[in-house]
Amino acid sequence: MKVVVIGAQWGDEGKGKIVDYLAKEAQIIVRFSGGANAGHTIVIGDEEYALHLIPSGILYPDKMVILGAGMVIDPVALFNELAMLKDRGIDTAGRVFISDRAHIVLPRYIKIDKERDAARKKPIGTTGRGIGITYSMKSDRDGIRVADLGWPDKLDELDARDRGFLDPHIEKLQAMAIDLSTYLVHRKNSQVLFEGAQGTLLDLDLGTYPYVSSGVSCAAGAAIGGCVGPRALDKVLGVFKAYSTRVGNGPFPSEFNPGSEDDLCCFVRNTGREYGVTTGRPRRCGYLDLVALRYACLTNSIDALVMTHLDVYDTLDEIKACIAYRVENALVESFPASIEALNKAKPVLRSFPGWKKPLSGALAYEEFPVAAMEYIEFIERFCETPIDIVSVGYDRKETIIRKSPWTKSGK
C-alpha cells in the first residue's frame, strides 16, 4: 500500500512526527519534494532530532529512505545531516538512497537566492537555501541532476567553482543513486510512505502565489517526485494544526491581530514552539482557517486528516476558528486565488468552549473531554473529511489513532 502524507496548511504542521510515527508499519519512506528549506523535529523520549533533507523514517533501524526525483539536494547539507545522525548513534549505512533524477543545489544558487529576494519590492521571505534558484534552473533546463554526475560533457559545461564544489561529492552521491521507479516496482508489495514538504498553501500552483515555495507541495507531487503513476497511490493524509501558522511574507487571513491579540499570539507561539527548525524565525500565528483547510482537502483529494498541536489549547477558556472571510462587503466561503482579496479578508470566527484539561494523558479518543471532541467533529463536518489521527504532544506515544492509515479509503 502507498500512503501520501502532505501538509494541509502553510507547512510546519507536524508532518515529520506523523511520518516518523507511521513509518513503524512502512518499509520504505520517500520524500518527494523540497530541499533543505524544510525542517522536521522528531522527539523520542528525551531525544530530539532535527531533520531537513532525510525522510523522518530514518530513525527506525530497518527502514529504507529515499530522496525523491522532485527534491533539490544540497550535498553539504545532506552529508552534514548524515554525519549528525551517525554521531547520535543512528546507523544509516545502506539505508539512504537518492533518485538519480533529483537536482543538485550549487553554492552560487544560494547567493543568487538571497540577492534576488532582497532586491524584490515585496520580498517573499525565502529561507535563502538556494531552493527556488535550483528549481528555476531545472525549469530553464540548465540544472544538474544526480544522474548527470556521470556525464563528462555536462560536467565540462560547469564553471570551475561549481566543478570544484561537486568533485568531492560525486562518488558519494553516485553510490547512493537509484532508478526510483524500478526500485519501487521491484518492491510493489511493500508499504510505502510518500512524505511531502511545506504545505498545500505553499504549493507553486495551488498556493498563495507568488508567496509560495518553488516545489510541488500537493499530493499530486507524490506521483511525480515519487516516480509512480497517480493511480498507484492508495491514500492521501493531510496534516494540519489545531490553529494556523505561516513563515515569511504573504497573506494570512486568520492571523491574530497585532496589538489586540498579542498575548494570544505569544501564548500559542511559545506553547507550540512555533519557531522555524531551519531558520529559527518566529512563525506568524492565527486561528484555524477552515476555509483554507477545506480547500486543501478538495484540491488534494485528502482521504483523512491528521490533527496536531491540539494540546496547545488545553488551558484556554474559549477557542475560535475561521469559517468564512469578509472581503469588503462580501461574505466569501471559498479560498480565493487573488492575493488582493486574501490581504483584505477578515476572518469570520466561530467560538467553541475550551476543555480545560490536559490531553496528553489520553490513551484513546474516547478519553478526550467532550469539548475537545466537539471541536474535532465540527472540523470534520465542515471539511467533509474525517480526522483519523490526533497528536497531543511531541513524543511518538502522544498520538491517538482513530482509524489505521494503512486501510484503503472507502471514497
Side-chain angles (χ1 to χ4, degrees):
M1 186 171 176
K2 295 178 174 63
V3 175
V4 181
V5 178
I6 60 160
Q9 296 169 308
W10 278 283
D12 309 310
E13 302 95 347
K15 297 183 296 298
K17 177 201 167 170
I18 299 305
V19 170
D20 170 74
Y21 184 89
L22 299 180
K24 182 179 180 180
E25 297 184 55
Q27 286 81 49
I28 302 167
I29 300 89
V30 179
R31 179 156 157 214
F32 62 81
S33 66
N37 56 336
H40 296 323
T41 301
I42 310 299
V43 180
I44 306 170
D46 295 329
E47 295 289 326
E48 188 169 304
Y49 301 84
L51 301 174
H52 301 277
L53 281 167
I54 298 174
S56 306
I58 192 64
L59 299 180
Y60 290 94
D62 58 340
K63 311 301 178 185
M64 301 297 173
V65 302
I66 302 169
L67 284 67
M71 288 190 67
V72 292
I73 298 167
D74 179 338
V76 172
L78 173 62
F79 292 118
N80 284 345
E81 200 163 304
L82 288 169
M84 177 274 292
L85 289 168
K86 183 178 180 181
D87 290 343
R88 300 281 298 275
I90 306 298
D91 182 10
T92 64
R95 297 199 296 121
V96 182
F97 302 100
I98 306 172
S99 167
D100 54 11
R101 297 177 184 274
H103 279 246
I104 296 172
V105 180
L106 297 174
R108 62 186 173 89
Y109 297 171
I110 298 171
K111 182 173 183 290
I112 296 169
D113 193 5
K114 293 176 180 177
E115 291 174 347
R116 183 172 293 182
D117 203 43
R120 290 185 171 104
K121 290 183 179 180
K122 294 183 178 180
I124 292 170
T126 75
T127 59
R129 297 297 182 101
I131 307 303
I133 302 304
T134 310
Y135 278 118
S136 293
M137 297 295 281
K138 173 181 177 178
S139 180
D140 287 341
R141 292 156 293 180
D142 289 320
I144 183 164
R145 306 171 303 161
V146 173
D148 300 332
L149 297 175
W151 182 11
D153 288 349
K154 183 65 176 179
L155 294 177
D156 288 343
E157 292 176 7
L158 301 175
D159 66 25
R161 290 172 301 169
D162 291 343
R163 183 64 186 266
F165 167 76
L166 282 174
D167 278 345
H169 303 298
I170 289 176
E171 189 173 333
K172 291 186 290 184
L173 290 169
Q174 288 179 319
M176 299 166 70
I178 60 168
D179 174 350
L180 180 52
S181 60
T182 300
Y183 182 92
L184 292 178
V185 164
H186 289 164
R187 292 157 182 83
K188 61 184 177 181
N189 294 323
S190 296
Q191 304 268 60
V192 184
L193 268 178
F194 291 88
E195 175 186 4
Q198 286 81 45
T200 296
L201 303 179
L202 292 177
D203 181 81
L204 186 61
D205 293 295
L206 299 179
T208 54
Y209 186 91
Y211 301 99
V212 293
S213 184
S214 300
V216 180
S217 305
C218 62
I224 302 169
C227 297
V228 297
R231 292 198 299 177
L233 304 173
D234 296 299
K235 195 167 192 176
V236 178
L237 301 178
V239 185
F240 75 104
K241 282 189 282 212
Y243 49 89
S244 300
T245 64
R246 177 165 196 161
V247 174
N249 299 326
F252 189 2
S254 66
E255 187 169 14
F256 296 137
N257 287 320
S260 63
E261 294 179 321
D262 282 348
D263 289 345
L264 179 58
C265 182
C266 287
F267 170 80
V268 169
R269 180 179 290 146
N270 293 328
T271 307
R273 301 197 290 186
E274 297 297 349
Y275 297 88
V277 177
T278 300
T279 63
R281 288 184 292 185
R283 295 173 185 145
R284 299 158 64 190
C285 300
Y287 299 106
L288 174 60
D289 187 337
L290 290 173
V291 180
L293 183 60
R294 181 169 58 192
Y295 169 76
C297 290
L298 292 171
T299 53
N300 290 284
S301 296
I302 290 175
D303 295 294
L305 288 164
V306 178
M307 187 182 205
T308 66
H309 287 66
L310 184 59
D311 54 300
V312 169
Y313 279 160
D314 281 352
T315 62
L316 297 186
D317 295 319
E318 182 184 54
I319 294 157
K320 295 179 181 179
C322 171
I323 58 170
Y325 307 138
R326 182 71 62 181
V327 181
E328 296 179 331
N329 294 321
L331 184 69
V332 176
E333 296 181 302
S334 58
F335 193 75
S338 166
I339 298 300
E340 183 72 4
L342 287 168
N343 282 333
K344 291 179 178 179
K346 303 297 181 186
V348 176
L349 301 174
R350 171 166 175 154
S351 296
F352 302 84
W355 41 91
K356 306 289 287 182
K357 180 181 178 182
L359 297 177
S360 58
L363 300 177
Y365 179 70
E366 291 71 25
E367 295 180 17
F368 281 7
V370 171
M373 291 194 285
E374 287 177 345
Y375 183 56
I376 290 169
E377 289 161 18
F378 178 85
I379 296 167
E380 291 181 310
R381 291 192 300 272
F382 191 95
C383 296
E384 298 182 328
T385 307
I387 297 174
D388 285 358
I389 302 174
V390 183
S391 170
V392 292
Y394 292 96
D395 199 276
R396 277 178 184 166
K397 63 184 180 183
E398 296 173 318
T399 309
I400 305 298
I401 304 295
R402 298 177 69 196
K403 181 179 178 181
S404 171
W406 297 105
T407 55
K408 292 189 178 183
S409 170
K411 285 187 180 179

